[in-house]
Amino acid sequence: MTPQHPTTPARAGAASAALALVLVSAAPAAAAGPAAAGPGRTVLGAGGQQLTVSAASGLDPLGRTVRVTGGGYDGAKGIYVAFCKDNGDNRVPAPCVGGADTTGGSKASQWIVPRGDAHAGELGIPYGEGGRFDVELRLTAKNEGLDCTQVACSVVTRVDHRGAGDRSQDVRVPIAFRGQDPVGPGGEGVDVPQGTVGYRAVAEFTTAGKPRDLMFHPDSRKLYVGSDDLPDTADVNESGLHVLDPVDGKVRSTVNQAPGANGTPGRRAVRQLIAPLPGDGVVFSYPLRGIGTAKDGDTVAAGAWVPGGAVTDAGPGIAPGTVFVAQGPVLSEVDVATATVKRGITLEGGDGFAVDPVRKAIWFPDAGNGRLYRIDATTLQVAATVELPAGEDYAGFTEVDPETGAVWIGIGTSVVVHDAAGKRLRVLTGDDLPRAARFDPVTHEAYVVRQDPGDTSQPGSDNNGSLTVYRTTDFGEAAKPVVLPGNQGQLGFASLAVEPGGGTVFVSNPAEGRITRLQRSVSPKVTQGPTDQTVTEGDRAVLTARADGTPEPTVTWQVSDDGGRTWKAVEGADAPVHSFTAGASDNGHRFRAEFRNEMGTSRTTPVTLTVGAPGTTGGASGNPGTSDGATGGAGGSAGDTAAGATGGGPGTAGSTTGDSASGASGTSGASGASVTGGTSGTDGTAGSGGTVGSGGSSASGGTVGGTGTTTTGGGALASTGTAVATLAGSAVALTAVGWALVRRKRAGNTG
């Protein structure tokens, strides 16, 4: 997230200068009221929770009470609603102000508890229907050692002390105080949180028979498929090793011949892909005891048969040219070229295992007896025995995360995760059977395919599988689960392959002879939002908004003429920049941009357009002077935001009697105006210069009347006249007083 920014020296200096100029003005300005806080903000949580704070920017640093509402929370989990230092995604927000507010006094935080909870009432507030709550918090910029002018802070929800480590109810709404930039571009997800990751099916391949195993080759970037024959295509035998173009599934080549037990080549199915070969090609196993190698373009695979029983599982070796194979309870190291057994060990139970080449370890589960062996791969001796959950049958997979060394095991409907030393880290539960897992070191994510049992007579069986993506750091879901229609395990286990970076995932469905290509999608995330604007009628209003997403999101601008209660699309406004000529009827309209792609919809925070009438941006002209060398007319009134008005007109001619009456000074213009002195009266002395125009709010002052020159910078001293020196001294004195007041005010507000 974007950290909040403290008030900068430049901003403080600009504010002080503006105050000094106001003090110089002859016409006193009305005292400004306290600045209003910014609009509220709503953020969606990963579990669909909705957290809303009534005001999220421009808050008074000395304290502001805000209303915090939530919905969609898990009513069985107590949560804290608090104001905390925001440490980013998937990190505990801390420190927090006040802890859980059990007194109802400071309202720095609130405790929401399940209905019927022993703490409901005096200490905790029970949830409403649908996991809802409605509370107030008192937010101050500095409290209990937390300084939110220096660090990013948010109103957050998190599971209370009874569920430490549970991040499922984490939602964060960033907060900015007056003088700070609002945090981030704002906006909210509509159907899913902004930046939600998911996968969508973009293609299906039915060109590789009955797929049993998949591998995306890291060097050649080809998709290798080990297949059985598909019974539905009786006229064609599709078993073998297929090499596919991963984009369209077109078959590049098929290797369907491999040596049998006596060395004679024959048609062979391929059940398991063991490891990639450098550059291209794979090591694979084929029934019943074959270990082979082949690459794209080969017609016959090299291979040999391992002595003993049928091979039930295989994995890469730690020595060049070797693999490990399981033949039931027997685990052996085997030479790839000759299938010679180099050494072995016999263990109870087990028919699958996983190799960790980095740490030279082999994990061998015996689920029937509730244990997991850690075997030293260099000595092939048991180094440790780890307890597995009791009462579950091994029915899935054993895989090692090569980055962390954690071992993931599919048991029953759960995935059990142990670290590299055997300590249990997490049990990931689900409805279907976990059948395969792969890891992506680029995104630090684990991909798990689950299959429906395929028995529709059993409760919960719907014939659909799923793909779930987990972060390997905290085991939270990294992507929205994907439903895999028709993927059930009656006719073989599903497998998967992941393109490095996780952009594309391939999942097999043996029952239907299909490989599904899934593409990573990300819902729109607003990166730039529009801001409130004030323009003059007839000027161009320009609103800009941008968002990232995959695929690239489309944008539609929307407008509301009833304060945001209803919205409608602006015709033709479908670009990041929406520019139009502002009319009087547009005054007070609210605008927002809506971004949409296949993963979801997000909207920017609404902004307001203020349209002023023509002529309100500058002061009016002053009245002309009277005859006989009388004073010049007063300067015009203050401009709203633009140039100051023209000063008073020139004095008319002096009397014809030759009196030496001097033209009087023009009076001080009001805020934003420069004024002019009277011109010379006939036969009189020179008219004195006009006085100092007061500070304009942003643009240039008016012109000097008579013979004076144009002034700039919100009204300067007139170029002629005897009053210049005296007025200049007064201006300096008043400016100094202004700076002193600013400093005194700052000192009073310290802390």
Side-chain angles (χ1 to χ4, degrees), residues 200-483:
R200 56 194 175 94
V202 295
E204 290 186 345
F205 309 154
T206 56
T207 53
K210 182 179 180 179
R212 301 298 297 269
D213 202 4
L214 306 177
M215 182 183 293
F216 187 90
H217 198 283
D219 297 330
S220 68
R221 304 184 70 82
K222 300 171 185 175
L223 182 63
Y224 278 80
V225 184
S227 297
D228 278 335
D229 184 35
L230 190 65
D232 292 347
T233 55
D235 56 331
V236 179
N237 188 332
E238 298 161 306
S239 60
L241 179 68
H242 302 276
V243 187
L244 305 186
D245 185 316
V247 176
D248 57 15
K250 181 179 179 181
V251 177
R252 297 174 56 94
S253 63
T254 297
V255 183
N256 53 26
Q257 297 287 315
N262 59 4
T264 303
R267 188 93 190 197
R268 311 292 177 189
V270 174
R271 298 287 175 83
Q272 187 177 6
L273 304 179
I274 303 173
L277 293 172
D280 192 23
V282 293
V283 182
F284 60 93
S285 68
Y286 57 96
L288 295 170
R289 295 179 279 116
I291 301 295
T293 59
K295 64 180 184 299
D296 183 17
D298 289 345
T299 56
V300 179
W305 279 49
V306 181
V311 172
T312 54
D313 197 10
I318 61 171
T322 65
V323 295
F324 289 102
V325 300
Q327 295 165 290
V330 179
L331 178 67
S332 305
E333 184 183 33
V334 174
D335 181 78
V336 171
T338 64
T340 302
V341 175
K342 301 172 74 68
R343 52 195 172 136
I345 183 176
T346 300
L347 302 165
E348 288 188 55
D351 56 6
F353 64 93
V355 180
D356 181 359
V358 176
R359 296 156 193 85
K360 295 180 172 55
I362 302 171
W363 294 94
F364 194 93
D366 177 9
N369 293 303
R371 58 194 175 193
L372 172 68
Y373 298 107
R374 185 181 188 275
I375 301 169
D376 186 327
T378 58
T379 63
L380 224 57
Q381 298 295 313
V382 175
T385 302
V386 179
E387 181 181 354
L388 290 177
E392 297 283 0
D393 292 330
Y394 177 81
F397 61 82
T398 304
E399 295 288 348
V400 171
D401 179 358
E403 184 178 20
T404 66
V407 56
W408 295 50
I409 309 165
I411 301 178
T413 59
S414 300
V415 178
V416 183
V417 185
H418 294 259
D419 68 12
K423 177 183 177 182
R424 185 177 301 173
L425 299 176
R426 192 64 59 92
V427 177
L428 306 171
T429 60
D431 296 328
D432 292 327
L433 304 172
R435 297 301 201 189
R438 294 290 185 270
F439 302 91
D440 179 25
V442 177
T443 60
H444 311 290
E445 293 170 353
Y447 296 75
V448 176
V449 169
R450 296 175 182 268
Q451 282 183 299
D452 187 80
D455 183 356
T456 54
S457 66
Q458 297 296 319
S461 180
D462 59 3
N463 211 44
N464 296 329
S466 65
L467 172 69
T468 306
V469 186
Y470 300 96
R471 292 184 294 271
T472 58
T473 52
D474 62 4
F475 309 105
E477 288 188 353
K480 197 174 179 182
V482 183
V483 175

Side-chain angles (χ1 to χ4, degrees), residues 149-174:
T149 66
Q150 302 299 319
V151 299
C153 295
S154 294
V155 170
V156 305
T157 59
R158 58 187 177 93
V159 174
D160 64 23
H161 60 281
R162 297 172 293 186
D166 185 349
R167 306 256 65 82
S168 64
Q169 306 304 302
D170 282 10
V171 188
R172 308 168 359 244
V173 177

